[in-house]
Amino acid sequence: MSLQQTIENIWDNRDLLQNEDSQKAIREVISLVDKGNFVQQSLLKTDGR
């Protein structure tokens, strides 16, 4: 399962927040955002490039 799918599943089912693997996925996303990895991708999608 991709990181995106994991986060979407957690969003849909907040009970998954108690799961250690879910917590690791959330920390990974936060780390990627802090490094700027998601900002560039979202800007590209918004601009249609």
Side-chain angles (χ1 to χ4, degrees), residues 2-49:
S2 73
L3 185 56
Q4 179 178 347
Q5 289 172 325
T6 300
I7 296 300
E8 288 175 356
N9 287 342
I10 296 166
W11 182 264
D12 291 337
N13 181 0
R14 301 297 171 93
D15 290 336
L16 293 174
L17 289 169
Q18 304 304 317
N19 180 304
E20 186 176 332
D21 289 335
S22 296
Q23 294 171 13
K24 286 180 185 178
I26 292 167
R27 284 192 288 275
E28 183 177 348
V29 169
I30 292 169
S31 175
L32 291 169
V33 169
D34 285 345
K35 294 175 184 175
N37 292 348
F38 283 141
V39 174
Q40 294 171 355
Q41 291 176 2
S42 65
L43 287 174
L44 290 176
K45 289 179 183 177
T46 303
D47 289 343
R49 292 188 229 166

